Amino acid sequence: MRTLSFLFAALALVTGMYRFLDACLENFYIFDKDHLHDVSQRAIAAHGNDTRSIVQYIVSELDEKVGDTHLNKDEEWVFNNAGGAMGAMYIIHASITEYLIIFGTAIGTEGHTGRHTADDYFNILQGTQLAYVPGSYEPEVYPAGSVHHLRRGEVKQYKMEASCFALEYARGWIPPMLFFGYADTFSSTLDFPTLWATSRITGREMISNLLKGKF
């Protein structure tokens, strides 16, 4: 009985802490989703279909606005397999409550978005993304310059029919999302070198930001 009481007390404490921290999430963010959408649109207007220059434009402005303390300006591209889709990503920022990446593929892909503990803002930089929810008879269409907001807890099918790259911004609880990002390695690809590279970069950025007081 004493053990059961202890477990209930511990559960109540953890639940209370989670609810308190969840209510304070806005205080931890250093990126503004509206600014990210705006800078994405301006980068596209400035560089058209030159995606490399678009990415450099965005990172350069973030460096001025946020500062390089919390940014990874080295383009360390790694493959990303998640939800049956395959692409590549460049991690610009990763912390406990936010991540900012360039994600995309030059040849197209399709898969499951995952059901996440964070809101995800997919700013299309080049190409078009399609999305689908059960019960709809028409796809959601997101061309370059638009933003696809996947709300926390929601799930969709998505597709990039051809070359498509996006500035992806997630805000919420990031660590639980890693399980979705790792699952395909163990169930399908068995690409452990890529898993190690992803873990190394993500872990380095998260720990570095945590040590700087960025949750």
Side-chain angles (χ1 to χ4, degrees):
M1 179 65 81
R2 185 175 299 175
T3 302
L4 192 59
S5 298
F6 174 78
L7 290 175
F8 276 123
L11 180 61
L13 179 63
V14 170
T15 301
M17 288 181 61
Y18 170 77
R19 288 180 176 174
F20 171 76
L21 291 172
D22 199 55
C24 297
L25 274 174
E26 287 288 339
N27 298 324
F28 302 138
Y29 301 144
I30 61 173
F31 297 100
D32 184 311
K33 62 183 185 339
D34 294 325
H35 170 252
L36 294 174
H37 186 204
D38 177 61
V39 70
S40 296
Q41 291 181 317
R42 285 188 284 109
I44 294 167
H47 296 288
N49 291 322
D50 185 352
T51 311
R52 185 181 301 277
S53 294
I54 289 173
V55 172
Q56 292 171 347
Y57 181 105
I58 291 170
V59 174
S60 177
E61 180 162 321
L62 290 175
D63 187 24
E64 294 177 3
K65 185 177 178 62
V66 178
D68 63 1
T69 303
H70 301 294
L71 300 181
N72 173 26
K73 294 189 290 184
D74 296 326
E75 287 199 33
E76 301 172 284
W77 286 92
V78 292
F79 274 127
N80 178 257
N81 288 82
M86 183 174 185
M89 65 178 177
Y90 154 36
I91 299 174
I92 301 171
H93 172 88
S95 61
I96 302 299
T97 57
E98 294 174 290
Y99 77 65
L100 185 67
I101 68 174
I102 301 295
F103 174 81
T105 171
I107 60 175
T109 191
E110 179 180 5
H112 190 291
T113 61
R115 195 183 298 274
H116 300 301
T117 51
D119 281 274
D120 189 273
Y121 299 87
F122 211 71
N123 295 274
I124 309 299
L125 304 177
Q126 182 258 315
T128 300
Q129 184 193 52
L130 304 177
Y132 169 76
V133 293
S136 175
Y137 288 96
E138 299 293 335
E140 299 173 10
V141 182
Y142 299 97
S146 66
V147 58
H148 178 192
H149 178 198
L150 181 70
R151 291 173 176 80
R152 180 161 66 165
E154 291 186 352
V155 64
K156 297 180 182 180
Q157 176 188 12
Y158 78 95
K159 182 178 185 179
M160 298 163 160
E161 290 187 308
S163 178
C164 183
F165 288 86
L167 176 70
E168 182 179 358
Y169 172 52
R171 51 162 50 190
W173 298 112
I174 304 304
M177 299 176 72
L178 299 177
F179 296 105
F180 176 74
Y182 287 164
D184 278 21
T185 298
F186 297 98
S187 64
S188 176
T189 69
L190 302 180
D191 182 6
F192 295 108
T194 291
L195 179 68
W196 164 246
T198 302
S199 301
R200 177 179 57 81
I201 298 169
T202 304
R204 182 194 69 204
E205 295 302 310
M206 280 191 167
I207 293 171
S208 173
N209 280 302
L210 195 56
L211 292 174
K212 295 169 186 171
K214 170 62 180 79
F215 290 95

